[in-house]
Structures are given as structure tokens and as C-alpha cells.
């Protein structure tokens, strides 16, 4: 089964993102210093990375989707689909 690779922003956006997903029914558990948190959905795989780098990872296919700011997408000149 192919899993959707989702980028979770590290740092100041991490807590808000985890709360957003929890309100939507997904429980993401960050384990210490690991960059690969657990999630209660077998079809999702999470990776924690810097918001500044997220659009690059999506653009090059390392991640299927990720949460970041439009400012970082523009600064990186990433060719990605923005979902609002």
C-alpha cells in the first residue's frame, strides 16, 4: 500500500499543526528527537522538517504534501500547488 508522505513543520508551527490534525481526528505523536512521528492512520507517513524547506521537498517529490507559509514557497520559487 502506498502511503501519503506528509511534512509537518518543525519549530513554532509544529504545536499548532499537531493540534489542527488532532481536531480533524488524526493523532500525531512526536517521539523525542525523531523526525518521523507516529500517526493513527496507516495511509499516512509523517516527517518533521523546517517550514523553510517544506516546499522544496514537495516540489522534488520527497514529500507529497506539507504545511508551510506562502512566503517560503515564494522565496524558494517552488512550483507546488497551494491549497487554501
Amino acid at each position: 500500500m502506498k502511503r501519503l508522505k506528509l511534512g509537518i513543520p518543525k519549530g513554532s508551527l509544529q504545536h499548532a499543526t499537531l493540534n489542527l490534525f488532532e481536531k480533524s481526528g488524526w493523532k500525531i505523536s512526536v517521539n523525542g528527537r525523531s523526525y518521523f512521528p507516529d500517526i493513527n492512520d496507516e495511509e499516512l507517513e509523517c516527517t518533521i522538517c523546517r517550514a523553510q524547506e517544506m516546499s522544496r521537498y514537495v516540489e522534488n517529490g520527497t514529500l507529497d504534501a506539507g504545511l508551510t507559509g506562502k512566503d517560503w514557497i515564494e522565496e524558494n520559487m517552488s512550483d507546488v500547488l497551494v491549497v487554501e
Side-chain angles (χ1 to χ4, degrees):
M1 165 177 60
K2 182 162 169 59
R3 298 170 78 181
L4 180 75
K5 296 177 284 185
L6 177 65
I8 304 293
K10 170 176 152 174
S12 62
L13 294 175
Q14 182 175 330
H15 184 70
T17 301
L18 297 179
N19 285 340
L20 176 68
F21 274 88
E22 189 167 354
K23 288 178 183 178
S24 299
W26 286 289
K27 176 70 174 148
I28 300 172
S29 302
V30 179
N31 302 319
R33 298 180 59 88
S34 174
Y35 287 100
F36 304 99
D38 294 321
I39 186 167
N40 64 342
D41 189 325
E42 293 179 3
E43 296 180 3
L44 296 176
E45 177 181 318
C46 295
T47 302
I48 294 177
C49 59
R50 295 175 57 212
Q52 297 90 320
E53 300 167 349
M54 191 77 66
S55 65
R56 291 179 185 157
Y57 293 141
V58 173
E59 183 178 31
N60 73 22
T62 301
L63 296 171
D64 297 314
L67 284 85
T68 191
K70 284 185 181 181
D71 56 336
W72 290 117
I73 295 170
E74 291 172 8
E75 186 170 319
N76 292 328
M77 295 184 285
S78 297
D79 184 18
V80 295
L81 175 65
V82 177
V83 179
E84 297 181 38

